[in-house]
Amino acid sequence: MSNKNLLFFFVLSWALVACKTEQGTNSESLKQREQEFLEELTTRFTKILTENMRKDSLGIVSRVGEIHNQTSFPWMNQEKVLNENAHFLLTQLSSSLCYGLDTCFYDVERMREIEHQLILDTANVDLLVEGNYLFSKNYVVFASQLKYGLMNHKNEDSVYFEWKVDSLTDADLTEMKNGLYHHELAQTIENLEPTFVQYKQLRHAWTNYLEGKKFGTEKKRVTSLKEDSTLAYQNARDALVIYQYLDSLQSENDSIFGVALKQFQFDNNLATDGRIGSATSFALSQSNRDRKLSVLASLEKYKWENLEADSLLYVNIPSYELKVIERNKVAKTHRAVVGKTIHQTPSFSANMDYLILNPYWHIPKSISSKEILPKLKKDSNLVAKKGYTIYDNNRNVIDASSVDWSKVSASSFNYRISQTRGGGTALGRVKFIFTNKHSIYMHDTPAKSLFKNDVRAYSHGCVRLEYPLELATYLISRKDKNFTQDSVENFVKTGQQKRINLDYPLTVSLRYFCCEGTPDGKMKFYRDIYNKETQLKSSLDRLFYPKSE
């Protein structure tokens, strides 16, 4: 190598070493500045937590501190602006009505401002610290309301708003941290929500229903055809315009009106016959805000309890339906008849023990003394006609003709009546028993025509089922595949009573929700037949609409 080339080599080597040294120095300097920046953010954030902790009567700030045990700034990315966690949470808060909540509970406007300002002023310490606190605080509030709802419902006659932050468990906080630090907030939100299939369908349908919908208080009283047919149709047209099923130009077109009316009937679980009967006129007389409050009430109530079970017979009383739910999917649906307003079917859960084919009916005293006694007084042959057996207080069978029924009153009625004509009783061909304090059960009925009606509240509280032998076969065949629909029906024809124990876990849940979502994402609204949601809707109305619109 020549001296000239050797000199060039040494100069180049020296330059490279010097460059690496300078790069190392710059890298160390950058790391130090980054560390100092993070330390300043942490110090400022800790100061905010400390200051707010002193006035934190709701426990929100302490929960914020608990979710920051891995890093103090989970809402910030390397570019010193809000990250995907923050953008996702802000989107959910902005559309919180989809969850039955409202943006009024969150600092959405200020959070949007911070999001925008940080784009223009990256790494602004004041904005990052404030944003970190606000996003964490609202995450805690949103999570608590998503899982536990908005209302204190310990006394159903006095339901009121309550912050539920202190209801968050250690498991909830772990779930929240996992979602935050692993960038899986969407999964966390889904995990915090009720997972029951009926809730999921309602949420999906409600999200679809919200698009372009106005929820004002305006409504139109619609009379039924029996009252005034001309006025009924005119007012129905006006109502459908108000509720956005028609626009004003379409309302006079009879064909378009008929389609809109049938769609409204479908959405309100009514026969789609295009006629304005009493049930249709009642539904048409409710405002869109009434319907919104029904959804808010239902989403709220789903958050109050766990309705999951591997096998579930689920009756939503206002829908007049029983659903067989297996592994959180609807397997079968049966129409149902529920209790009259004076004999309301209660809401409760119990385990189904057994079913009885060709059941005898041991008539409750409330029915025998108030309903059968007056008929006995009028018809001496009633006992033979109906297949009744009458017992005295000592359970001795007595001859009905030996009693002067004209002298017996409801208060002095000291008899028991049973109907033992197998398969021919008011219970029909099968009875499903789930032990409970209300003495409620499900059964067949001879009155099949009632299942065609829109309103099916006719019983004394028990639940009557359409096609109950299909349900019986379904339940029995789960334990014994030899049982088929034919074998069950053949046994029923014998008239003999038979008890069949199920011997596997099966929960029966009777609940009360005035709306549901269909599997294809459509809303269904039901009449509040017992006025059970009046108090809750009133409380939600005051919460969501503190001032009259």
Side-chain angles (χ1 to χ4, degrees):
M1 183 180 293
S2 67
N3 290 338
K4 187 176 180 179
N5 288 340
L6 185 62
L7 177 61
F8 175 77
F9 175 77
F10 280 117
V11 170
L12 180 60
S13 299
W14 178 85
L16 290 172
V17 170
C19 183
K20 289 182 179 179
T21 302
E22 184 178 354
Q23 287 179 345
T25 302
N26 289 340
S27 177
E28 291 298 322
S29 178
L30 285 173
K31 286 182 180 179
Q32 183 176 351
R33 287 200 298 272
E34 180 73 14
Q35 184 63 33
E36 289 172 352
F37 181 78
L38 291 175
E39 287 176 359
E40 182 181 2
L41 288 178
T42 302
T43 300
R44 296 272 293 275
F45 180 64
T46 302
K47 183 179 178 182
I48 285 183
L49 285 182
T50 303
E51 290 174 351
N52 284 282
M53 192 79 73
R54 299 191 186 102
K55 50 187 178 183
D56 181 33
S57 59
L58 301 174
I60 297 175
V61 182
S62 61
R63 289 289 194 258
V64 169
E66 289 181 62
I67 64 172
H68 283 83
N69 64 343
Q70 294 185 35
T71 175
S72 296
F73 286 83
W75 308 102
M76 179 184 77
N77 64 18
Q78 291 181 342
E79 284 73 40
K80 312 288 191 304
V81 294
L82 296 178
N83 62 17
E84 61 187 56
N85 280 339
H87 298 316
F88 180 80
L89 178 64
L90 187 51
T91 299
Q92 303 314 303
L93 297 182
S94 300
S95 58
S96 55
L97 187 57
C98 295
Y99 298 97
L101 306 171
D102 194 83
T103 55
C104 69
F105 303 120
Y106 319 111
D107 304 298
V108 171
E109 289 305 316
R110 181 54 186 155
M111 293 163 74
R112 284 176 181 155
E113 290 175 1
I114 292 172
E115 180 183 43
H116 179 68
Q117 290 170 1
L118 275 171
I119 295 173
L120 302 176
D121 190 6
T122 304
N124 183 301
V125 174
D126 291 333
L127 291 174
L128 285 171
V129 170
E130 182 186 1
N132 193 58
Y133 175 72
L134 285 182
F135 275 84
S136 297
K137 169 192 166 188
N138 285 276
Y139 181 40
V140 167
V141 173
F142 181 57
S144 66
Q145 295 176 342
L146 200 61
K147 178 142 191 193
Y148 299 104
L150 299 167
M151 313 302 285
N152 183 310
H153 59 280
K154 293 177 182 176
N155 181 354
E156 63 180 26
D157 295 324
S158 179
V159 182
Y160 57 89
F161 173 73
E162 180 180 65
W163 294 99
K164 299 293 187 72
V165 174
D166 60 353
S167 297
L168 290 170
T169 65
D170 290 341
D172 295 332
L173 292 171
T174 298
E175 177 66 50
M176 291 169 64
K177 287 186 285 188
N178 286 340
L180 193 55
Y181 297 118
H182 295 97
H183 298 280
E184 296 176 350
L185 281 191
Q187 187 61 54
T188 289
I189 287 174
E190 184 176 344
N191 293 344
L192 289 171
E193 285 189 278
T195 57
F196 185 47
V197 59
Q198 295 300 106
Y199 171 86
K200 291 294 187 184
Q201 288 185 181
L202 176 58
R203 266 264 292 111
H204 179 218
W206 173 234
T207 300
N208 293 339
Y209 189 80
L210 278 173
E211 292 185 21
K213 192 70 69 176
K214 297 177 182 177
F215 294 100
T217 57
E218 186 182 4
K219 58 186 174 182
K220 189 81 174 182
R221 183 184 179 277
V222 179
T223 59
S224 67
L225 290 176
K226 289 183 179 180
E227 295 177 76
D228 187 326
S229 60
T230 301
L231 186 60
Y233 279 110
Q234 184 54 56
N235 287 352
R237 294 175 193 272
D238 294 341
L240 291 174
V241 171
I242 293 171
Y243 309 146
Q244 298 172 266
Y245 283 81
L246 289 171
D247 63 40
S248 56
L249 296 177
Q250 295 173 323
S251 63
E252 298 305 317
N253 183 306
D254 290 343
S255 177
I256 296 176
F257 165 73
V259 172
L261 179 58
K262 289 179 180 179
Q263 182 60 52
F264 179 86
Q265 289 176 319
F266 177 83
D267 293 347
N268 287 270
N269 205 42
L270 305 170
T272 54
D273 55 10
R275 293 178 55 80
I276 305 174
S278 58
T280 296
S281 66
F282 179 88
L284 283 167
S285 300
Q286 311 305 305
S287 72
N288 272 356
R289 184 187 286 190
D290 293 329
R291 280 177 267 279
K292 175 182 177 180
L293 291 172
S294 288
V295 178
L296 296 179
S298 292
L299 290 172
E300 174 71 12
K301 290 197 295 182
Y302 276 121
K303 296 168 186 173
W304 294 352
E305 57 185 328
N306 182 7
L307 289 173
E308 291 182 59
D310 287 340
S311 296
L312 178 68
L313 299 185
Y314 174 79
V315 177
N316 181 20
I317 296 166
S319 75
Y320 309 115
E321 282 187 341
L322 173 142
K323 290 182 172 67
V324 180
I325 298 178
E326 300 281 5
R327 296 180 180 85
N328 210 29
K329 293 183 179 179
V330 178
K332 291 173 61 66
T333 300
H334 294 258
R335 287 191 168 202
V337 169
V338 301
K340 306 173 186 176
T341 54
I342 59 171
H343 299 295
Q344 298 181 9
T345 300
S347 298
F348 67 96
S349 293
N351 294 321
M352 180 167 286
D353 304 308
Y354 58 94
L355 58 86
I356 299 176
L357 299 176
N358 295 324
Y360 300 158
W361 186 28
H362 304 294
I363 304 172
K365 188 174 181 179
S366 60
I367 297 177
S368 58
S369 63
K370 295 177 182 177
E371 299 182 26
I372 296 179
L373 176 60
K375 296 176 182 178
L376 280 171
K377 293 180 178 182
K378 294 178 181 179
D379 185 356
S380 58
N381 294 318
L382 183 71
V383 172
K385 289 178 182 177
K386 295 290 187 180
Y388 291 150
T389 301
I390 300 180
Y391 305 84
D392 63 18
N393 272 344
N394 296 318
R395 297 179 180 260
N396 297 312
V397 177
I398 64 169
D399 183 353
S401 62
S402 67
V403 180
D404 185 352
W405 296 109
S406 65
K407 296 181 179 179
V408 180
S409 65
S411 59
S412 64
F413 187 87
N414 293 317
Y415 304 92
R416 296 171 63 89
I417 301 179
S418 292
Q419 196 175 31
T420 57
R421 190 164 54 204
T425 72
L427 302 183
R429 298 163 296 173
V430 62
K431 177 169 70 169
F432 303 86
I433 302 298
F434 40 100
T435 305
N436 61 86
K437 65 180 182 181
H438 309 283
S439 299
I440 296 295
Y441 46 86
M442 299 188 296
H443 62 88
D444 184 15
T445 176
K448 309 294 186 186
S449 62
L450 296 180
F451 293 110
K452 298 177 182 178
N453 297 349
D454 288 336
V455 177
R456 299 193 289 277
Y458 301 107
S459 80
H460 288 85
C462 289
V463 179
R464 307 175 191 172
L465 298 177
E466 188 176 34
Y467 307 122
L469 288 184
E470 286 186 11
L471 178 61
T473 303
Y474 180 84
L475 297 179
I476 299 170
S477 63
R478 291 183 62 188
K479 59 171 283 185
D480 188 344
K481 298 299 182 182
N482 293 322
F483 272 91
T484 64
Q485 184 81 24
D486 288 341
S487 62
V488 171
E489 289 184 358
N490 288 335
F491 180 85
V492 165
K493 291 175 183 177
T494 68
Q496 300 176 42
Q497 180 172 266
K498 180 180 180 66
R499 168 174 167 159
I500 301 176
N501 295 324
L502 294 183
D503 298 330
Y504 60 82
L506 179 61
T507 302
V508 178
S509 285
L510 279 61
R511 290 296 183 270
Y512 197 96
F513 295 94
C514 287
C515 59
E516 289 180 328
T518 65
D520 59 348
K522 301 290 174 45
M523 283 298 308
K524 284 277 192 179
F525 295 95
Y526 309 125
R527 186 169 180 171
D528 186 359
I529 51 173
Y530 300 156
N531 292 319
K532 277 183 170 288
E533 292 193 344
T534 302
Q535 174 65 38
L536 176 56
K537 288 177 184 176
S538 178
S539 297
L540 288 167
D541 194 26
R542 291 193 298 270
L543 184 61
F544 279 70
Y545 301 99
K547 296 179 181 179
S548 299
E549 291 187 349

